[in-house]
Amino acid sequence: MKASRFYQALLLASVSLQSFAAAAGIYEFSCGTPADAYGRAIPTPTGNIGFTAVPGGMCGGDAEFTWDYAGTLLDGNDRCSFMANIVQSGRLAEECVDGICGSYSFGFHGLHFAFKRAGSTYFLNSLYGGDSAEAISAVLRNSVDWMFSTSSLDGLEIDASLIASDDGSHRWIVQSNGASPVAPLYLGLPGQPGHKLRMQGEGAAFLWRIDPDGTKQLAKYHYALDIDFVDERGVVAQGYGGGYVGPALVADGEAIPVEEINAKTRISEYEIAQPRLKVLSWQITISADGEPADGFEAIYSLQGNEGMLWNDLGPVKESKSTPAASTTAIDSSASKALSGSSARGVSRLAIPMVTKTATDTKSLYHGNWIPIQFSQGPYEGASMVFNVYWDKYVPRPSDQTTDSYSWSKAGWGSLYTGILPDNVTSAYSLTELMVPGLPVIAEEDPRESGWVNPFEVRFIDFVEEKYRPAYPWVTKIEITVRAHSRLRTALASYANLKSGRWDQPTDFADTDLILSVISLYPDIENTMFASEVAQYYESAAVVLIDNIEVGYAWIEHMGQPN
């Protein structure tokens, strides 16, 4: 689900929000909702985290912190797929003074943006331009950053500046941009609904043109982006048990499926999210590096005032800490190497790391992350996310479903209902496990004892072979939320309340709800740095009920065998 972290283990486990407080001092790392002398930070019963100091907010300490924005941007009737990854790794220093937390370090950023022109798909990827040493070196020079992030109850800022770029000092900035208070409780503070943000960035990238016959062409481009959005729902815990994702917290039982090399690294994270970032305005300009190649235009300009993003964020921690002396030495050597502003120096430092990663793993996890944001229909304003793990590598199977225990033994689904006008208690968070007992995986199929999975995820269609995918990525998924399950009942309760006829319900949760999730770009593929490092699938999608479009969605598919 955090595609930028291809080198991390993804392992589902259970821990309560109280465990966050136990992991580090509440005051030092601002876990949960901090006290505020002016009474603005009010703990609420609605399931969202009232204030998240970034990066200090969820007990990150000096751990890596990531922000992954994914969703759909509308340019008139055209729908574009957008994903931005910002990673703050190996933080050199973090200080929190009087509720204001700041951190200085290095990291990297990436942009994946797809749009259509004249029947062809154009895919802008700042992290991949082919497997040549020259292309890999260019990608690294244009993605490795000096980073500074700071936050307080009043606002946050993430600032990433390239250390050594091909064409000047380019920057990415995400920062608070005002508030639209949500009555009667929320003031639009960071982590609350109503908090406005602005993302600006510029840099160099590779533009891939994918024609209907599967032919691909490549050209160098520059880009500049500017996106304004507002947080409609606030920060929530994503994943069951308070949002923890990491090594199993149990002494016995089989671990959640994860790639072998990743299991050895023992990486964990606190997974939280902003599930509804409503786009207010956006513009992306893509300009050719020199004369445009045949079949490419000099400038592509896209803009609009509609769309929806989902942001995964949170700190990543190693469960076995590196000795302090070693950490200091690593930080010192990295700082000296990167501060020289030499593109060749950056390449010498980073390429061996990428090469080593290539020998380790191509896959973060084997499964799917499927967020859904309802924008119309009875569930308008609500959001859901499903995460499922697969046990088999079978190209284009006709029977891949989580209802088969041989196919899948682990997964979860979460619901974040919307905030209805003047009714903050309409919003709540709910997570339901696919099978009982997780994170311990039962040896026997629980359905043999009468268990019925509360939801099913089934593969329907796959990327066509003419696009030569690294793996047969799924492009159409059918999700069945079963009648009388907790997820289905909660959705019905929200729909009845939203209709204004809560005393005369129209949805009794007595029928299955079938969601069809269909990719908008079945011809793209994400590659990070090099094809031997990491390849996976990410695309904006639509969600339908009874063949009627009801909202935004996203399909992430990882699972390329190592």
Side-chain angles (χ1 to χ4, degrees), residues 425-442:
T425 59
S426 64
Y428 49 87
S429 300
L430 171 69
T431 297
E432 191 160 29
L433 305 182
M434 190 179 78
V435 293
L438 295 175
V440 177
I441 295 180

Side-chain angles (χ1 to χ4, degrees), residues 228-457:
D228 284 295
F229 48 92
V230 61
D231 189 342
E232 287 192 331
R233 183 56 172 81
V235 174
V236 299
Q238 178 174 270
Y240 75 87
Y244 176 85
V245 179
L249 302 181
V250 291
D252 56 357
E254 181 185 350
I256 300 295
V258 69
E259 301 301 336
E260 178 66 20
I261 184 66
N262 284 339
K264 292 178 182 178
T265 62
R266 303 293 290 176
I267 299 295
S268 63
E269 62 169 304
Y270 302 116
E271 186 85 352
I272 55 180
Q274 292 171 292
R276 294 188 72 90
L277 297 175
K278 181 181 179 180
V279 175
L280 303 176
S281 65
W282 69 277
Q283 181 173 356
I284 297 180
T285 302
I286 305 169
S287 307
D289 183 3
E291 288 294 320
D294 290 342
F296 291 86
E297 298 178 15
I299 296 178
Y300 298 92
S301 183
L302 303 100
Q303 60 186 347
N305 53 17
E306 291 184 71
M308 188 76 73
L309 302 177
W310 184 298
N311 179 26
D312 273 0
L313 67 155
V316 182
K317 303 187 71 174
E318 293 187 13
S319 56
K320 293 184 178 180
S321 59
T322 305
S326 300
T327 302
T328 302
I330 292 170
D331 289 344
S332 176
S333 60
S335 300
K336 291 178 181 178
L338 291 173
S339 62
S341 297
S342 163
R344 184 170 296 179
V346 174
S347 301
R348 281 202 302 265
L349 176 71
I351 286 179
M353 175 197 72
V354 174
T355 303
K356 180 182 184 302
T357 304
T359 64
D360 289 343
T361 181
K362 294 182 182 180
S363 182
L364 172 61
Y365 69 104
H366 186 29
N368 295 95
W369 176 68
I370 315 160
I372 294 169
Q373 298 140 321
F374 295 104
S375 59
Q376 56 188 335
Y379 312 116
E380 179 183 359
S383 303
M384 304 185 78
V385 61
F386 296 89
N387 204 188
V388 295
Y389 301 83
W390 304 105
D391 293 337
K392 299 179 182 180
Y393 294 97
V394 178
R396 296 180 174 83
S398 59
D399 60 344
Q400 186 159 343
T401 169
T402 55
D403 274 357
S404 169
Y405 205 62
S406 64
W407 268 111
S408 181
K409 297 180 176 65
W412 49 262
S414 291
L415 167 67
Y416 312 105
T417 58
I419 301 174
L420 299 179
D422 294 320
N423 187 357
V424 294
T425 59
S426 64
Y428 49 87
S429 300
L430 171 69
T431 297
E432 191 160 29
L433 305 182
M434 190 179 78
V435 293
L438 295 175
V440 177
I441 295 180
E443 295 183 3
E444 301 295 330
D445 186 345
R447 281 164 299 188
E448 294 180 0
S449 301
W451 172 263
V452 177
N453 285 2
F455 64 87
E456 177 199 13
V457 175

